[in-house]
Amino acid sequence: MNQQVTKARHVAIIMDGNGRWAKKRHLPRAVGHQRGVEAVRVLVRAARQMGLEALTLYAFSTENWRRPEEEVSALMGLLKRYILADLREFIDNNVRLRIIGNYKELSADIVDLLEDALTRTASNDGTTLVVALNYGSQDEIARAAAKASAKGAITPAAIEAELDTAGLPPLDLLIRTSGEVRLSNFLLWQAAYAEMWFTDVLWPDFTPGHLEQALTEFETRERRYGGR
Ligand code: FPP
């Protein structure tokens, strides 16, 4: 039974620390990413059960191409296996998949797989799982501004309507794991009035309990949106 347990509608997460998690255990980085996917799987289920409208996860940035080819292909393989393994669960549990970023530049097999998953979950209206892939916020804003300008005046509302996140609820809470305190080109526009929650926990160790902790703290914050 899904239950609305929080006022937050949209939570986004910078899932950081897979590499350090593995290093601490003298394991290959790919094992850290594998455990990171397990954390994703558990968290998506929790988000759905909590009645969150949207959960946005930073899975692969436009800067991540700079990593060794072996690591990039390990990440792509994990993404592929995750979608293949969990698509049925999304369909059965009213989870809608959405991708932000230039995912069409990924390899053809992944693009096909993602598009199939997008189509098959498009009419779901429970939690939207938004995966940021080949995503960079500056790139997203530049693309949106170009589209807005082709249609008329460049206003904040016109840009917002062209962002990859158009139509999603406003971002309420942005979480980053692993002790780093920066946005790394993630949802720069959308974070304008979002609350931030940083934790030292490394991503593979992140649990629904941590999400609940962040949401509990979110409930106590007074959001003024620039007013008083
Ligand atoms: C940061 O850890 C994590 C990433 C660059 C990728 C996050 C991807 C996943 C958890 C798996 C794929 C995602 C989905 C949605 C299935 P890092 O390698 O930067 O860690 P470090 O800073 O400790 O080296």
Side-chain angles (χ1 to χ4, degrees):
M1 183 69 178
N2 295 356
Q3 243 187 322
Q4 182 80 45
V5 295
T6 170
K7 273 189 272 176
R9 299 172 67 198
H10 185 177
V11 175
I13 310 184
I14 302 175
M15 311 179 288
D16 199 4
N18 295 347
R20 276 161 286 168
W21 184 95
K23 193 171 179 194
K24 267 182 25 188
R25 291 162 178 78
H26 309 285
L27 292 166
R29 290 178 63 82
V31 178
H33 293 314
Q34 249 168 45
R35 294 298 290 263
V37 175
E38 278 315 307
V40 167
R41 176 170 282 127
V42 172
L43 201 74
V44 170
R45 287 182 188 144
R48 162 163 70 69
Q49 282 156 2
M50 288 175 191
L52 216 65
E53 283 177 54
L55 175 68
T56 299
L57 301 176
Y58 205 3
F60 195 86
S61 73
T62 44
E63 289 72 34
N64 285 152
W65 293 110
R66 293 192 210 125
R67 294 191 179 204
E69 202 186 317
E70 187 186 304
E71 185 172 350
V72 170
S73 69
L75 281 166
M76 292 299 155
L78 284 168
L79 171 75
K80 207 165 143 179
R81 277 191 301 253
Y82 173 64
I83 301 289
L84 278 170
D86 285 33
L87 179 59
R88 186 74 251 165
E89 185 174 326
F90 299 161
I91 296 169
D92 291 344
N93 290 285
N94 203 18
V95 171
R96 179 170 60 146
L97 183 69
R98 177 129 173 212
I99 311 290
I100 57 171
N102 278 317
Y103 75 92
K104 291 190 182 174
E105 288 173 6
L106 302 179
S107 67
D109 57 332
I110 296 192
V111 174
D112 288 350
L113 177 78
L114 292 171
E115 290 189 338
D116 175 60
L118 290 171
T119 309
R120 290 170 68 189
T121 61
S123 59
N124 289 351
D125 60 1
T127 300
T128 300
L129 169 62
V130 186
V131 183
L133 283 174
N134 195 19
Y135 175 87
S137 194
Q138 292 174 344
D139 168 70
E140 177 196 30
I141 294 167
R143 284 188 284 109
K147 283 193 211 160
S149 123
K151 290 182 183 171
I154 304 184
T155 61
I159 291 176
E160 193 150 315
E162 302 296 344
L163 291 173
D164 295 354
T165 51
L168 289 168
L171 183 63
D172 292 306
L173 176 66
L174 190 129
I175 295 174
R176 183 169 189 149
T177 60
S178 92
E180 310 291 349
V181 185
R182 56 177 173 268
L183 289 180
S184 300
N185 204 12
F186 189 50
L187 302 180
L188 302 179
W189 182 289
Q190 297 84 343
Y193 289 104
E195 296 293 323
M196 312 271 171
W197 196 78
F198 297 97
T199 174
D200 288 340
V201 172
L202 302 176
W203 177 250
D205 291 327
F206 193 88
T207 64
H210 294 113
L211 176 62
E212 277 167 27
Q213 200 184 325
L215 288 169
T216 303
E217 199 173 312
F218 169 82
E219 309 287 337
T220 67
R221 297 198 191 163
E222 191 193 344
R223 300 175 84 194
R224 288 191 293 272
Y225 302 94
R228 316 182 42 190

